[in-house]
Coordinates of all heavy atoms in Angstrom, one line a residue:
I278 N 7.4 -2.1 -7.9 CA 6.0 -2.1 -7.4 C 5.0 -2.3 -8.5 O 4.1 -3.1 -8.4 CB 5.7 -0.8 -6.6 CG1 6.7 -0.8 -5.3 CG2 4.3 -0.8 -6.1 CD1 6.6 0.5 -4.7
R279 N 5.2 -1.6 -9.6 CA 4.3 -1.7 -10.8 C 4.3 -3.2 -11.3 O 3.3 -3.8 -11.5 CB 4.8 -0.8 -11.9 CG 4.0 -1.0 -13.2 CD 4.6 -0.2 -14.3 NE 4.5 1.2 -14.1 CZ 3.5 2.0 -14.6 NH1 2.6 1.4 -15.3 NH2 3.4 3.2 -14.4
Q280 N 5.5 -3.7 -11.5 CA 5.7 -5.1 -12.1 C 5.1 -6.1 -11.0 O 4.4 -7.1 -11.5 CB 7.1 -5.4 -12.3 CG 7.7 -4.7 -13.5 CD 9.2 -4.8 -13.6 OE1 9.9 -5.3 -12.7 NE2 9.7 -4.3 -14.7
A281 N 5.2 -5.9 -9.7 CA 4.7 -6.9 -8.8 C 3.2 -6.8 -8.7 O 2.5 -7.9 -8.7 CB 5.3 -6.5 -7.4
V282 N 2.6 -5.7 -8.7 CA 1.1 -5.6 -8.7 C 0.6 -6.2 -10.0 O -0.4 -6.9 -10.0 CB 0.7 -4.1 -8.5 CG1 -0.8 -4.0 -8.8 CG2 1.0 -3.7 -7.2
E283 N 1.1 -5.9 -11.1 CA 0.7 -6.5 -12.4 C 0.8 -8.0 -12.5 O -0.1 -8.7 -13.0 CB 1.4 -5.8 -13.6 CG 1.0 -4.5 -13.9 CD 1.8 -3.8 -15.0 OE1 2.8 -4.4 -15.5 OE2 1.3 -2.7 -15.4
E284 N 1.9 -8.5 -11.9 CA 2.0 -9.9 -11.8 C 1.1 -10.6 -10.8 O 0.5 -11.7 -11.1 CB 3.5 -10.4 -11.5 CG 3.9 -11.7 -11.3 CD 5.3 -12.1 -10.9 OE1 6.2 -11.2 -11.2 OE2 5.5 -13.1 -10.3
L285 N 1.0 -10.1 -9.7 CA 0.1 -10.8 -8.6 C -1.3 -10.7 -8.8 O -2.0 -11.6 -8.6 CB 0.5 -10.1 -7.2 CG 1.9 -10.5 -6.7 CD1 2.1 -9.7 -5.4 CD2 2.0 -11.9 -6.4
F286 N -1.8 -9.5 -9.3 CA -3.3 -9.3 -9.4 C -3.8 -9.3 -10.9 O -5.0 -9.1 -11.1 CB -3.6 -8.0 -8.7 CG -3.2 -8.0 -7.3 CD1 -2.2 -7.2 -6.9 CD2 -3.9 -8.8 -6.4 CE1 -1.8 -7.2 -5.5 CE2 -3.5 -8.8 -5.0 CZ -2.5 -8.0 -4.6
D287 N -2.9 -9.4 -11.9 CA -3.3 -9.5 -13.3 C -4.1 -8.2 -13.7 O -5.3 -8.3 -14.2 CB -4.1 -10.8 -13.6 CG -4.2 -11.0 -15.0 OD1 -3.3 -10.7 -15.8 OD2 -5.3 -11.5 -15.5
V288 N -3.6 -7.0 -13.4 CA -4.3 -5.8 -13.7 C -3.2 -4.9 -14.5 O -2.0 -5.2 -14.5 CB -4.7 -5.0 -12.4 CG1 -5.9 -5.7 -11.9 CG2 -3.6 -4.8 -11.6
R289 N -3.7 -3.8 -15.1 CA -2.8 -2.9 -15.8 C -2.6 -1.7 -14.8 O -3.6 -1.2 -14.4 CB -3.5 -2.3 -17.1 CG -3.0 -3.0 -18.3 CD -3.5 -2.3 -19.6 NE -4.5 -1.3 -19.4 CZ -5.8 -1.5 -19.4 NH1 -6.3 -2.6 -19.7 NH2 -6.7 -0.5 -19.3
V290 N -1.4 -1.3 -14.5 CA -1.1 -0.3 -13.6 C -0.9 1.1 -14.4 O -0.1 1.0 -15.3 CB 0.1 -0.6 -12.7 CG1 0.5 0.6 -11.9 CG2 -0.2 -1.8 -11.9
R291 N -1.6 2.1 -14.1 CA -1.5 3.4 -14.7 C -0.4 4.2 -14.0 O 0.4 4.9 -14.7 CB -2.8 4.2 -14.9 CG -3.7 3.5 -15.8 CD -5.0 4.2 -15.9 NE -4.8 5.7 -16.0 CZ -5.8 6.6 -15.7 NH1 -7.0 6.1 -15.4 NH2 -5.6 7.8 -15.9
E292 N -0.4 4.2 -12.7 CA 0.5 5.2 -11.9 C 0.8 4.6 -10.6 O -0.1 3.9 -9.9 CB -0.3 6.5 -11.8 CG 0.5 7.5 -11.1 CD -0.3 8.9 -10.9 OE1 -1.5 8.8 -10.9 OE2 0.4 9.9 -10.8
V293 N 2.0 4.8 -10.1 CA 2.4 4.4 -8.8 C 2.9 5.6 -8.0 O 3.8 6.4 -8.6 CB 3.5 3.3 -8.8 CG1 4.0 2.9 -7.5 CG2 3.0 2.1 -9.6
R294 N 2.5 5.8 -6.8 CA 2.9 6.9 -6.0 C 3.5 6.2 -4.7 O 2.8 5.4 -4.1 CB 1.9 8.0 -5.7 CG 1.5 8.7 -6.8 CD 0.5 9.7 -6.5 NE 0.1 10.4 -7.7 CZ -0.3 11.7 -7.7 NH1 -0.5 12.4 -6.6 NH2 -0.7 12.3 -8.9
T295 N 4.6 6.7 -4.2 CA 5.1 6.1 -2.9 C 5.4 7.2 -1.9 O 5.5 8.4 -2.2 CB 6.6 5.5 -3.3 OG1 7.4 6.4 -3.7 CG2 6.4 4.2 -4.2
V296 N 5.2 6.7 -0.6 CA 5.3 7.6 0.5 C 6.1 6.9 1.6 O 5.8 5.7 1.9 CB 3.9 7.9 1.1 CG1 4.0 8.8 2.4 CG2 3.0 8.5 0.1
A297 N 7.1 7.5 2.1 CA 7.8 7.0 3.2 C 7.2 7.5 4.5 O 7.2 8.6 4.8 CB 9.3 7.4 3.3
V298 N 6.5 6.5 5.3 CA 5.8 6.9 6.5 C 6.8 6.9 7.6 O 7.5 6.0 7.9 CB 4.7 5.9 6.7 CG1 3.9 6.3 8.0 CG2 3.7 5.8 5.5
R299 N 6.9 8.1 8.2 CA 7.9 8.3 9.3 C 7.4 7.7 10.6 O 6.2 7.5 10.7 CB 8.2 9.8 9.5 CG 8.9 10.4 8.2 CD 9.4 11.7 8.5 NE 8.3 12.6 8.8 CZ 8.4 13.9 9.2 NH1 9.6 14.5 9.2 NH2 7.4 14.6 9.6
S300 N 8.3 7.4 11.5 CA 7.9 6.8 12.8 C 7.4 7.9 13.7 O 7.7 9.1 13.6 CB 9.2 6.1 13.4 OG 10.1 7.1 13.8
K301 N 6.6 7.5 14.7 CA 6.0 8.4 15.6 C 6.5 8.0 17.0 O 6.7 6.9 17.3 CB 4.5 8.2 15.7 CG 3.7 8.5 14.4 CD 2.3 8.3 14.6 CE 1.5 8.5 13.3 NZ 0.1 8.1 13.5
P302 N 6.7 9.0 17.9 CA 7.1 8.7 19.3 C 5.9 8.1 20.0 O 4.7 8.6 19.9 CB 7.5 10.1 19.8 CG 6.8 11.1 18.9 CD 6.6 10.4 17.6
K303 N 6.1 7.1 20.8 CA 5.1 6.4 21.6 C 5.6 6.2 23.0 O 6.8 6.1 23.2 CB 4.8 5.0 21.0 CG 4.1 5.1 19.6 CD 2.7 5.6 19.7 CE 2.1 5.7 18.4 NZ 0.7 6.1 18.4
R304 N 4.7 6.2 24.0 CA 5.1 5.9 25.4 C 4.1 4.9 26.0 O 2.9 4.9 25.7 CB 5.0 7.2 26.1 CG 6.3 8.0 26.1 CD 6.2 9.2 27.0 NE 5.6 8.9 28.3 CZ 5.6 9.6 29.4 NH1 6.2 10.8 29.3 NH2 5.1 9.3 30.6
R305 N 4.6 4.1 26.8 CA 3.8 3.2 27.6 C 4.4 3.3 29.1 O 5.4 2.7 29.4 CB 3.8 1.8 27.2 CG 3.0 0.8 27.9 CD 2.8 -0.4 27.1 NE 1.9 -1.3 27.9 CZ 0.6 -1.4 27.8 NH1 0.0 -0.6 27.0 NH2 -0.1 -2.2 28.6
G306 N 3.7 4.1 29.8 CA 4.3 4.4 31.2 C 5.5 5.2 31.1 O 5.6 6.3 30.4
Y307 N 6.5 4.7 31.8 CA 7.9 5.4 31.8 C 8.7 5.1 30.5 O 9.5 5.9 30.2 CB 8.6 5.0 33.1 CG 9.8 5.7 33.3 CD1 9.9 7.1 33.6 CD2 11.1 5.2 33.1 CE1 11.0 7.8 33.8 CE2 12.3 5.8 33.3 CZ 12.3 7.2 33.6 OH 13.4 7.9 33.8
T308 N 8.5 4.0 29.9 CA 9.2 3.6 28.8 C 8.7 4.3 27.5 O 7.5 4.4 27.2 CB 9.0 2.0 28.5 OG1 9.3 1.3 29.7 CG2 9.9 1.5 27.4
S309 N 9.7 4.9 26.8 CA 9.4 5.6 25.6 C 10.1 5.0 24.4 O 11.2 4.4 24.6 CB 9.8 7.1 25.6 OG 11.1 7.2 25.9
G310 N 9.6 5.0 23.2 CA 10.2 4.5 22.0 C 9.5 5.1 20.8 O 8.9 6.1 20.9
R311 N 9.7 4.5 19.7 CA 9.2 5.0 18.4 C 8.6 3.8 17.7 O 9.1 2.7 17.8 CB 10.3 5.6 17.6 CG 10.8 6.9 18.2 CD 11.8 7.6 17.3 NE 11.1 8.3 16.3 CZ 10.6 9.6 16.4 NH1 10.7 10.1 17.6 NH2 10.0 10.1 15.4
T312 N 7.6 4.0 16.8 CA 7.1 3.0 15.9 C 8.1 3.0 14.7 O 8.9 3.7 14.6 CB 5.7 3.4 15.4 OG1 5.8 4.7 14.6 CG2 4.7 3.6 16.5
R313 N 7.9 1.9 14.0 CA 8.7 1.6 12.8 C 8.4 2.6 11.6 O 7.3 3.0 11.5 CB 8.6 0.2 12.3 CG 9.1 -0.8 13.2 CD 9.0 -2.1 12.6 NE 9.6 -3.1 13.6 CZ 9.1 -4.4 13.8 NH1 8.1 -4.7 13.1 NH2 9.7 -5.2 14.6

Side-chain angles (χ1 to χ4, degrees):
I278 296 167
R279 172 188 295 265
Q280 292 170 350
V282 170
E283 288 178 347
E284 179 183 331
L285 290 173
F286 302 108
D287 194 33
V288 293
R289 266 189 349 264
V290 175
R291 287 181 47 197
E292 184 180 22
V293 177
R294 294 182 180 208
T295 58
V296 179
V298 180
R299 295 188 302 178
S300 66
K301 297 179 186 176
K303 296 288 180 178
R304 274 185 42 165
R305 182 163 179 96
Y307 186 70
T308 307
S309 63
R311 297 187 75 85
T312 60
R313 292 186 175 141

